[in-house]
Amino acid sequence: MGKNDKNKNVTQNEVTEDVKDEVKEEVTNTPKGKFKFKFTGVDIIIIVVIIATAAGVYNFISTNKVISKTKTIRYSFELLENQEGFTDLIKVGDNITDGVRNYNMGKVVEVSAEPYTILVADRIKSHYTEVALDGYERSVVTVEAKVTDEEDSIKVDGVYTIRGGQGIAVKGNGYSGYGFILSVERGDD
Amino acid sequence: MKFFDENGKVLGRFNALDVGVFVVVLVLCLGTVLKFTSVSAGTKKDIGVQTNTTVTYKVELEQVRDYFNQNVQLGDILYDLDSQKPIGEIVDIQVDVSEIYLDLFNGEVEMASYDNRYDVTLTIEGQGVKNDKGYFVDKTYEILVGSTRNFYTKYSIFQAKIVDLIK
C-alpha cells in the first residue's frame, strides 16, 4: 500500500466520523460528546403501566398467600361395580396412584369388600330400596397420606386435591378402578 | 390545524405511534376498572342504589348418601367452583330423607322414600351487595334462585341448586 493510499484512507475515516457526529447531533439534538436522556410522554406511560402491573401482581400474590402446613391424615374412597373377589387384590401397604395423572394418593391402611347395591323402585310398598347385585362388590379403601393443609383444600403431596364426593380413578399393584372419595379426616383445623 | 401534519405527527405534536400506545393503555385501564369494580355488566343507571348487606341463601342437594353429612359442618366456608372464590359460610344444615313421586301397581301415585338417600339443605350467609339488579356475594357472584351451581368446601365437592334467598 502506498503513502498516498494511506493518506486517502485516513481522510475517508475522518470524514466518516464527522458525518456520524453530525447525524448524532441532529438525532439527539445535544452538543457533541454530551448524552442527554429525555423522557417522552410514552416513556412515562410505560413506566406507570409497569409499576401498576407490578403492584397488581404483588397484591394478587400477597392476598392469595396460603399458609399451609404438612400433616398425615387418612381418607377413604370406594371403588364401584367390581366383580366379586376384586377387593382381595388390594393389600394393606399398597401405594395407590391417580389413574389419570399418576399422582401419589397415599398408602392403603384398611380395605373391605361390601355389597354393590343399586336403587330399585318397590311399586307395592312405595319405596326405593337398595338391592345388592349378585356377582359384584364395592371396595372401601382407607388410605394414609402426607398432605398439605391449606385454607380451602387438602392436597396429597401438595398436588392431589382430595374432597368428599370427588370422582376418582385409581390404580394399584395390578388393579385399577373408579369411584368416589367418601370422607376426609378433618384432624386439627 | 390538520390532524396529521406533513411529518406524520398528530396535531403537529405527538407521534402517531405514541398516540396509538396511549389509546391502547387507556382502553386496558378502563376495562380493568370496569371488570374489578362494577357489579355486573351495566351502568350505574341500571343498578341504581347499591347497599352492602348480608346475603343469606339456601342451597339444596338431592339424594346424597350419609357420607356427605360427614364432610360438611357448620362454619365451613363455601366456594364457587368456577371462580374458586369464597361465597359464604354454612350457618345451618337440614337433612331429610329423600322422597320422590312413584306410580304404584295399584294405579296410585305416592311419595316414595329412599333407602340411605337424603336431601340436604344448607343455609349460607355471605357479605355482599344489593342493588336494582339483584343480590351479589363478593360483588360479582349473583345469587339466582333456581340455578344449579358447582360448589366446594375444604372437605367436600358437590352440585346444588339455590332454592331460596332470604331478604
Side-chain angles (χ1 to χ4, degrees):
Chain A
M1 192 182 284
K3 195 177 178 182
N4 287 341
D5 291 338
K6 205 174 185 178
N7 285 338
K8 194 179 173 184
N9 280 343
V10 170
T11 310
Q12 279 178 347
N13 285 341
E14 284 171 351
V15 169
T16 311
E17 287 301 320
D18 287 345
V19 170
K20 277 184 184 172
D21 288 341
E22 280 172 17
V23 171
K24 191 179 175 185
E25 271 192 48
E26 277 180 18
V27 171
T28 60
N29 203 21
T30 54
K32 183 181 174 183
K34 288 185 181 176
F35 176 74
K36 190 179 175 188
F37 191 81
K38 190 181 168 189
F39 275 111
T40 66
V42 173
D43 292 335
I44 292 167
I45 290 170
I46 289 172
I47 289 168
V48 168
V49 168
I50 289 172
I51 291 171
T53 307
V57 169
Y58 175 78
N59 187 43
F60 180 79
I61 291 170
S62 60
T63 52
N64 285 285
K65 202 178 279 176
V66 175
I67 300 166
S68 62
K69 54 183 179 182
T70 308
K71 62 182 183 181
T72 301
I73 64 154
R74 291 185 176 193
Y75 67 98
S76 63
F77 60 81
E78 62 179 354
L79 300 179
L80 299 171
E81 220 173 335
N82 299 314
Q83 288 187 333
E84 229 168 20
F86 174 87
T87 309
D88 297 338
L89 299 171
I90 306 170
K91 309 288 184 196
V92 171
D94 280 0
N95 285 313
I96 299 290
T97 54
D98 165 42
V100 179
R101 294 186 176 176
N102 270 335
Y103 291 143
N104 173 41
M105 290 176 66
K107 190 169 278 195
V108 176
V109 291
E110 206 177 311
V111 60
S112 64
E114 294 187 8
Y116 175 65
T117 59
I118 58 169
L119 284 167
V120 175
D122 182 337
R123 294 176 192 277
I124 297 172
K125 294 180 180 173
S126 182
H127 187 72
Y128 279 88
T129 310
E130 280 192 334
V131 176
L133 279 188
D134 284 345
Y136 286 89
E137 67 187 23
R138 163 179 171 261
S139 311
V140 177
V141 183
T142 303
V143 167
E144 193 171 84
K146 275 188 178 172
V147 299
T148 54
D149 186 349
E150 296 174 4
E151 189 184 355
D152 66 343
S153 63
I154 302 278
K155 292 176 181 169
V156 178
D157 293 342
V159 288
Y160 186 78
T161 306
I162 47 172
R163 289 192 181 101
Q166 179 180 306
I168 53 166
V170 305
K171 61 180 183 181
N173 298 337
Y175 54 85
S176 68
Y178 79 95
F180 295 92
I181 293 177
L182 298 175
S183 60
V184 179
E185 183 184 275
R186 283 188 176 244
D188 300 326
D189 277 337
Chain B
M1 186 184 284
K2 287 181 182 176
F3 190 71
F4 284 105
D5 67 7
E6 61 275 6
N7 295 321
K9 293 202 168 190
V10 177
L11 301 174
R13 185 165 182 183
F14 304 107
N15 185 308
L17 192 63
D18 294 353
V19 173
V21 170
F22 179 75
V23 169
V24 169
V25 169
L26 195 65
V27 169
L28 287 175
C29 289
L30 281 174
T32 307
V33 168
L34 283 175
K35 167 75 181 168
F36 290 104
T37 58
S38 68
V39 163
S40 63
T43 61
K44 283 200 170 181
K45 195 180 169 188
D46 292 333
I47 62 176
V49 179
Q50 186 167 293
T51 51
N52 292 326
T53 182
T54 299
V55 181
T56 306
Y57 57 102
K58 291 184 177 184
V59 301
E60 187 181 78
L61 297 89
E62 291 182 341
Q63 297 171 25
V64 296
R65 291 182 291 170
D66 53 359
Y67 296 110
F68 179 80
N69 303 322
Q70 297 171 21
N71 296 319
V72 174
Q73 287 183 3
L74 291 178
D76 282 357
I77 303 297
L78 190 71
Y79 295 83
D80 166 42
L81 185 63
D82 296 328
S83 65
Q84 304 201 337
K85 286 186 173 178
I87 50 170
E89 180 184 337
I90 298 173
V91 294
D92 188 48
I93 302 172
Q94 293 293 325
V95 182
D96 297 305
V97 173
S98 291
E99 285 185 327
I100 196 168
Y101 283 109
L102 180 65
D103 53 328
L104 306 179
F105 287 140
N106 63 10
E108 292 179 2
V109 176
E110 285 184 11
M111 286 297 279
S113 57
Y114 282 86
D115 273 349
N116 189 29
R117 294 293 187 280
Y118 305 92
D119 291 344
V120 179
T121 306
L122 306 175
T123 303
I124 315 296
E125 211 171 81
Q127 290 307 310
V129 292
K130 173 195 171 190
N131 58 41
D132 289 353
K133 294 192 93 179
Y135 288 79
F136 299 81
V137 176
D138 195 30
K139 287 188 178 176
T140 52
Y141 190 82
E142 190 170 9
I143 304 300
L144 295 170
V145 174
S147 62
T148 300
R149 312 276 181 89
N150 294 312
F151 302 102
Y152 70 90
T153 67
K154 183 173 178 177
Y155 295 96
S156 184
I157 186 166
F158 54 90
Q159 192 176 67
K161 187 176 185 177
I162 300 176
V163 291
D164 195 11
L165 173 62
I166 302 161
K167 295 173 184 171

